[in-house]
Amino acid sequence: MHFGCVPEQVTTEQIQEYLGRLAIAATSPSRSAFKHLVNGLRYYFKLMGLGHRNIEFPSIRSSLKLPTVLSRQECKLLFRAPHLLKHRLALCFVYSAGLRVSEFSNMKINAVDFNRMMIHVRAGKGQKDRYVPLSKLIADGLKKHLSEAQPKTYLFEGMYPGKPYSVRSLQWVLRDAVNKSGIKNENVCVHTLRHSYATHLLEDGVDIVTIKNLLGHSNIKTTMIYLHVKQPTQGSIAHSPFDTLYAKL
């Protein structure tokens, strides 16, 4: 042990000071390791009849890990890569609405309102519903997809009618598209499309509160990570960045 003696011979203040220094050190352990350490000390004191000694859990230093974001040109390369229209449209749809992979997989046909140009994302993270704008370009592609594929229940279905397109299948489509597009970033995954959606909205001038609601975040602190990627301008209305992606073509 750090103090060279058994825990009961060390004061509570010394232990708290030690844990505090360890928490802010550059080589600080993970939160899980800290929990095991603190809970182990608490259990030891309880066994020794010293349950009154209050060992608090310190605040752990955490490094700011920025999300992987694709540039607009990389998005275009990615969306052109798949051979099948269904695969291209699936990737475009995820990006255009900032969807989580599970939200894409569970998206039913009736969730898309072509009249109001809105998408109803049902039972997202935390079982919360939200609405996001439907891209005009994506709407045209979805109508063609529905006419040709004629899915029964879900907007995108796999091999079996009435069954959702699996998360694993979409992940495979994404990895294959990354390889074909020549994008040299091993951290690109399906969730990267959601990160790119949020960042591109910031670049288009949509405010952070609107983006929070579009992403379905419970706490704006979660959304503010994108401010470290690109500082937004103010004043734009909510829309799908898929439309501005091809606005100048």
Side-chain angles (χ1 to χ4, degrees):
M1 187 177 176
H2 174 77
F3 295 98
C5 58
V6 293
E8 60 264 33
Q9 295 176 335
V10 184
T11 68
T12 301
E13 290 73 20
Q14 287 177 312
I15 293 177
Q16 292 293 168
E17 182 183 0
Y18 167 72
L19 291 175
R21 289 202 308 269
L22 190 60
I24 64 174
T27 57
S28 61
S30 66
R31 179 167 294 273
S32 177
F34 250 107
K35 285 183 178 179
H36 286 301
L37 175 59
V38 174
N39 289 334
L41 283 170
R42 289 173 178 170
Y43 184 67
Y44 177 84
F45 285 136
K46 184 178 180 180
L47 287 178
M48 299 300 294
L50 300 171
H52 62 279
R53 297 189 62 173
N54 183 26
I55 306 300
E56 297 180 355
F57 187 71
S59 298
I60 300 175
R61 175 182 180 177
S62 58
S63 58
L64 179 64
K65 294 184 179 179
L66 297 178
T68 298
V69 174
L70 295 174
S71 69
R72 295 170 189 264
Q73 184 57 36
E74 286 175 324
C75 284
K76 293 178 181 179
L77 291 173
L78 187 72
F79 299 152
R80 286 201 300 261
H83 294 308
L84 296 180
L85 173 62
K86 179 180 179 180
H87 292 172
R88 292 198 299 271
L89 184 60
L91 296 180
C92 290
F93 183 63
V94 171
Y95 165 80
S96 74
L99 300 176
R100 301 179 177 93
V101 63
S102 60
E103 294 170 346
F104 164 83
S105 181
N106 295 319
M107 183 73 63
K108 294 185 177 180
I109 298 171
N110 60 11
V112 180
D113 189 334
F114 291 104
N115 294 319
R116 296 178 58 239
M117 294 298 289
M118 298 293 288
I119 301 169
H120 188 182
V121 184
R122 296 186 175 93
K125 191 173 182 180
Q127 295 301 304
K128 295 187 303 181
D129 287 13
R130 69 182 188 277
Y131 279 94
V132 297
L134 172 63
S135 159
K136 296 177 181 179
L137 295 174
I138 290 294
D140 293 337
L142 288 177
K143 289 177 181 178
K144 183 177 181 180
H145 164 71
L146 292 173
S147 176
E148 295 180 355
Q150 296 188 346
K152 302 295 183 182
T153 305
Y154 294 91
L155 193 60
F156 289 85
E157 296 182 345
M159 296 176 59
Y160 303 101
K163 300 296 182 181
Y165 200 76
S166 71
V167 170
R168 181 171 296 182
S169 294
L170 183 63
Q171 291 170 338
W172 180 89
V173 170
L174 187 282
R175 286 196 299 269
D176 187 60
V178 170
N179 292 332
K180 290 177 179 177
S181 66
I183 295 174
K184 304 299 181 182
N185 191 329
E186 60 182 19
N187 295 320
V188 175
C189 62
V190 176
H191 207 69
T192 301
L193 299 178
R194 179 173 159 89
H195 291 321
S196 301
Y197 165 89
T199 304
H200 294 168
L201 282 177
L202 282 175
E203 294 172 345
D204 287 345
V206 179
D207 66 271
I208 194 72
V209 176
T210 298
I211 294 175
K212 167 190 173 293
N213 296 331
L214 292 174
L215 293 173
H217 286 163
S218 299
N219 194 319
I220 198 168
K221 289 183 180 180
T222 306
T223 319
M224 288 179 70
I225 186 67
Y226 300 109
L227 292 174
H228 295 277
V229 182
K230 175 64 180 181
Q231 183 68 34
T233 56
Q234 302 293 323
S236 293
I237 61 173
H239 62 281
S240 170
F242 194 84
D243 290 328
T244 57
L245 190 70
Y246 292 99
K248 297 182 180 180
L249 294 182

